[in-house]
Amino acid sequence: MEEALPKPRDEHEHEHEHEHEREREGRKSGRKMEWAGREGHLGGIPRKIAFMAVGGLAKLIASSLNSTSVHNPETLIRLLRSRPPGVPLITVANHMSVLDDPLLWGFRGFPSMDSKLARWVLAAEDICFTNTVSSYFFRIGKCIPITRGGGIYQEQMNEALEKLSTGAWLHIFPEGIVSQEDAPLRRLKWGTASLIIRATVTPIVLPIVHHGFEQVMPQSAPYGRRPLLPLCNKKISIIVGEPIEFDLPKMRQMAISLSRNMSLPSLGWPSTPDGLDEATQRCLYSAISEKIRTVMESLRTFGNDGNVY
């Protein structure tokens, strides 16, 4: 995932060099244990068992041991069950705890144990794919390993694009890191924007903002460390927005115009299928990311104003 438009080169020359290095390393890396994530792996039985177990646990924690309220869940469920054939769905959410996924899907009425309807999700390789056992578990759980700092053209992003090309649902935490502060969303990484532009069919993009999972699984408990088990009797709120509308032709033209005045060190990005060069992509991805962040921030403000509980 990429950084926002850089400041003048004299202040960030070393940062650009490191970005270039990460881009090269990311493109070289392969697809870890991809075979385990295929639908037909062992007849799909391991995947079904994983989602029955994890989905059931998510419902227990989110709906029974804690109190969860959801605003506009019908929009999410409708898009899962009956969006136009072949049209992919991307959901984006803020990242409040290491258990946001799967707990985010544990609210009442959500088909959290249905492996066919379940999301694909981008998951940090250095956290979820550290050994053979965890790699297998997360792979059958429809997780795609992403190398943080590996860039938007790493091989794993191509795997995400392939899922979108089949009309799949892909969930992303575009901040790229857990933040438990009740503060405005930080600048979003560019990976989501790049997937929107590079997908063969433009995805529906649905924003989700939540609050309370940082209390269920705080990064640091009273004794200075994360609790071994999720905490109970907490209030969780989930706000599902409406699909974000992008005027992509206009945003493309604006990016082309802005990029003519840019002079930045190259990261070696290829042109997109419709001919956008690297400088134009940077402008376009920055604009799309800011649009998503603005919509998500409005949902966060809506939730903080007490419109859910």
Side-chain angles (χ1 to χ4, degrees), residues 13 88 105 196 236 264 276:
E13 184 172 356
W105 321 118
I196 293 169
I236 300 164
L264 298 170
L276 299 180

Side-chain angles (χ1 to χ4, degrees), residues 34-101:
E34 183 186 11
W35 53 269
R38 293 172 184 157
E39 185 176 1
H41 170 59
L42 296 179
I45 294 174
R47 178 182 290 180
K48 290 178 182 177
I49 293 173
F51 276 96
M52 288 289 289
V54 176
L57 184 61
K59 281 198 178 297
L60 173 66
I61 296 172
S63 299
S64 298
L65 301 180
N66 292 282
S67 176
T68 299
S69 291
V70 189
H71 173 79
N72 194 31
E74 59 274 6
T75 294
L76 172 60
I77 295 173
R78 173 177 55 81
L79 288 173
L80 294 190
R81 295 188 181 278
S82 58
R83 67 183 178 276
V87 176
L89 171 66
I90 293 179
T91 51
V92 290
N94 57 321
H95 208 0
M96 297 291 283
S97 81
V98 295
L99 291 182
D100 288 352
D101 186 294

